[in-house]
Amino acid sequence: MTNTPVAASMPAARIEAMLVLPDGATPTDRGYLDTLGPGPAPQRRTVASVAMNSGFVSRIYEGPWRQGALPLLAAGMTMRSEIDKAVRDLRVGGSQTVLDVACGPGNFSGRFADLLGDDGLVVGIDMSAAMLEQAVDQNAGPRVGYVRGDAARLPFADAEFDAVCCYAALYLVDEPERVLAEMVRVLAPGGRLCVMTSCARLPGAVQRAWGGRRVGGVRLFGRDEITGLLRDAGCTRITLQMRGFAQFVQAYRG
Ligand SMILES: C[S@@+](CC[C@H](N)C(=O)[O-])C[C@H]1O[C@@H](n2cnc3c(N)ncnc32)[C@H](O)[C@@H]1O
């Protein structure tokens, strides 16, 4: 993987042509395509969001943070085994267009791109400039490019992607219901989607009383919450696997 300026990179032109921005706005070239403009990410300020926008955390994220701490949540699954699971669930390969929602430093996007043919394309989207700088530095390549944008307002047309992934992020975003609806909207009919997020594993009544509350910006979802939201958004063949405090959900559009 190489660090190529976005304007000169092959995927950038393809991705720019896919962007749908209000009032014909154009993205800013920062090595990734920035659709949000200067200034901080437009999100609630929490311990988690401060961490995700910090240069220090973005530099250690793919190493000690993701490979050391997060596997505790998913009962021993490693980052690599999670990526392999997403690859299997999405059947990543060939000429697919894949969207990696809340891609962080591109740790999943880069691996997906390695598995695609020449016509394939991975788009990683995230709000954090610090994370995207790492993505461009560590996980760039001829079949992957990055966009700074809001997962709750994906800047793409309906049915644009063959596969959509969102790992280790839904519990951090401000509007998870809206993010899931957006993921389904941009997925082509028959396309595959996969999500890894938190799972509270509390008795039903306790979970209902807990509601959508957060700890440090992190939300604990009930075991039927994500599958229910995906069903409401039009997904079929939805499967759920739980490991520790994580849930892995796979679904098809239509
Ligand atoms: C823990 S990282 C996940 C990275 C990668 N998907 C993984 O599995 O390791 C969560 C990411 O979600 C991003 N994020 C949070 N809210 C977002 C939003 N509304 N739109 C886009 N990205 C968001 C953060 O900036 C952060 O990079």
Side-chain angles (χ1 to χ4, degrees):
M1 294 267 169
T2 52
N3 182 3
T4 312
V6 71
S9 77
M10 244 203 317
R14 271 181 83 182
I15 296 172
E16 190 161 357
M18 291 162 78
L19 288 174
V20 179
L21 301 177
D23 304 323
T26 51
T28 306
D29 175 347
R30 301 184 197 282
Y32 50 85
L33 296 167
D34 190 345
T35 70
L36 297 179
Q43 63 192 153
R44 260 201 307 254
R45 194 177 160 83
T46 64
V47 173
S49 71
V50 169
M52 293 299 123
N53 287 284
S54 121
F56 173 70
V57 171
S58 69
R59 282 192 293 280
I60 62 159
Y61 179 81
E62 193 170 345
W65 187 295
R66 186 64 165 91
Q67 300 188 52
L70 269 188
L72 303 175
L73 173 76
M77 273 183 82
T78 61
M79 181 176 80
R80 186 53 197 247
S81 63
E82 287 184 27
I83 293 174
D84 290 345
K85 176 167 173 44
V87 164
R88 282 194 306 276
D89 287 350
L90 298 177
R91 312 255 209 291
V92 175
S95 58
Q96 279 182 332
T97 50
V98 182
L99 180 65
D100 185 11
V101 173
C103 63
N107 42 330
F108 280 54
S109 316
R111 176 67 186 140
F112 293 163
D114 288 342
L115 299 171
L116 294 179
D118 287 344
D119 294 342
L121 180 69
V122 180
V123 181
I125 185 164
D126 202 283
M127 247 187 196
S128 161
M131 287 288 187
L132 291 169
E133 279 161 24
Q134 284 297 304
V136 170
D137 194 48
Q138 303 293 322
N139 288 303
R143 288 179 291 281
V144 59
Y146 297 97
V147 172
R148 182 163 179 255
D150 184 356
R153 288 154 196 82
L154 290 172
F156 302 105
D158 297 356
E160 184 74 79
F161 293 92
D162 301 308
V164 179
C165 173
C166 181
Y167 261 51
L170 213 55
Y171 47 70
L172 300 176
V173 304
D174 288 344
E175 303 168 89
E177 297 83 357
R178 189 161 173 166
V179 171
L180 284 172
E182 280 290 274
M183 290 171 61
V184 178
R185 178 184 67 77
V186 300
L187 188 61
R192 294 182 173 84
L193 168 157
C194 68
V195 171
M196 183 279 243
T197 190
S198 58
C199 188
R201 305 195 90 161
L202 297 167
V206 179
Q207 178 64 32
R208 279 191 292 281
W210 178 266
R213 266 173 275 176
R214 292 166 184 263
V215 180
V218 176
R219 179 157 160 180
L220 293 176
F221 291 102
R223 56 188 295 167
D224 301 322
E225 241 179 308
I226 305 299
T227 53
L229 287 164
L230 288 174
R231 197 168 296 113
D232 292 348
C235 285
T236 57
R237 290 178 280 166
I238 303 170
T239 59
L240 165 69
Q241 288 172 266
M242 287 185 294
R243 280 187 74 108
F245 291 98
Q247 57 180 306
F248 295 81
V249 181
Q250 190 202 347
Y252 291 75
R253 180 173 179 192

